[in-house]
């Protein structure tokens, strides 16, 4: 299974994926690169920026990816 296939399956199974999930669950370190490749190849991906706090109290953000909803 390619990384793109694994990401697609993950989004199908769980609804979305974040960089930490891609790394911890799939071993993928360059999620944004794979997502860009998917978009280039025609995938309709929704990007949502989420805010979190690190264990040291610093606010930081990351992007969560999901399929675009179809009407």
């Amino acid at each position: 299974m390619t990384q793109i296939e694994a990401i697609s399956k993950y989004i199908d199974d769980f609804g979305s994926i974040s960089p930490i999930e891609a790394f911890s669950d799939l071993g993928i370190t360059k999620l944004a690169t794979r997502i860009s490749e998917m978009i280039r190849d025609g995938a309709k991906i929704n990007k949502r920026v989420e805010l979190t706090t690190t264990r040291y109290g610093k606010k930081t953000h990351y992007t969560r990816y999901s399929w675009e909803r179809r009407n």
Side-chain angles (χ1 to χ4, degrees):
M1 179 180 294
T2 68
Q3 289 186 348
I4 288 176
E5 290 169 341
I7 292 165
S8 295
K9 181 168 177 18
Y10 194 96
I11 295 172
D12 287 343
D13 291 348
F14 300 102
S16 65
I17 192 167
S18 71
I20 193 70
E21 293 162 345
F23 179 69
S24 63
D25 296 345
L26 304 175
I28 296 172
T29 58
K30 293 187 174 187
L31 177 62
T33 300
R34 300 292 87 80
I35 293 291
S36 293
E37 292 168 353
M38 292 168 71
I39 292 169
R40 179 196 67 209
D41 293 340
K44 303 296 184 192
I45 303 285
N46 182 50
K47 301 176 188 180
R48 184 177 75 229
V49 176
E50 296 187 350
L51 184 66
T52 191
T53 304
T54 70
R55 67 180 67 199
Y56 298 108
K58 181 182 175 191
K59 301 262 186 218
T60 190
H61 66 277
Y62 61 93
T63 304
R64 178 169 294 281
Y65 303 94
S66 60
W67 299 126
E68 275 189 12
R69 295 187 188 220
R70 296 176 182 96
N71 292 334

